[in-house]
Amino acid sequence: SLVVADVPPAADLAPVITCFSKGLLSRVHRDGPVNFVNAPALMKEIGIEAEATRAKVGMIANSVLATAVFENGTELQLVGAHVDTNRSNRLLEIDRLPLDVALKGWMLFLRYPDRPGMIGRV
């Protein structure tokens, strides 16, 4: 599900869902091109539902919260925003862990138990 913050009540959220769908499928769909026209149909064909709702997310205007639910029931929650001050897209939160990272290049996030010496082993 997508939660779109600080948008006017009359704003149509369908383009947000379409952009999210295209972005998601562009990374994982290998059976042909994904574009803004076919992304909604591909999502339905694959069995992925996307919905958008309005809410206040964090302190940054125009932030978006996306939650992915995987087959095994685990969830991944991300909050991002486009910050006009430096014209960059920022990742602001991963699974309720606050951070502020510019979305550039490839990133790897690892999840592991917090134990002394663990970073040295990775």
Side-chain angles (χ1 to χ4, degrees), residues 2-111:
L2 301 173
V3 178
V4 184
D6 301 325
V7 294
D12 181 13
L13 297 180
V16 175
I17 295 170
T18 300
C19 289
F20 171 78
S21 300
K22 181 193 179 294
L24 175 69
L25 293 177
S26 294
R27 302 281 185 200
V28 297
H29 186 72
R30 301 292 178 226
D31 295 333
V34 178
N35 55 49
F36 293 111
V37 175
N38 69 2
L42 290 172
M43 291 280 282
K44 190 173 185 177
E45 180 183 309
I46 294 169
I48 301 173
E49 293 182 33
E51 64 180 37
T53 56
R54 293 168 174 82
K56 179 92 174 132
V57 179
M59 300 302 291
I60 305 244
N62 301 318
S63 57
V64 175
L65 178 143
T67 303
V69 180
F70 299 95
E71 287 181 7
N72 64 4
T74 60
E75 290 186 6
L76 175 65
Q77 189 175 77
L78 303 170
V79 175
H82 178 76
V83 182
D84 285 330
T85 55
N86 56 5
R87 298 199 178 277
S88 70
N89 295 312
R90 314 290 294 179
L91 181 59
L92 303 176
E93 191 176 299
I94 297 178
D95 282 341
R96 295 171 191 79
L97 175 68
L99 47 105
D100 186 4
V101 178
L103 292 174
K104 294 181 181 178
W106 291 93
M107 292 182 226
L108 173 65
F109 295 94
L110 303 173
R111 200 180 284 190

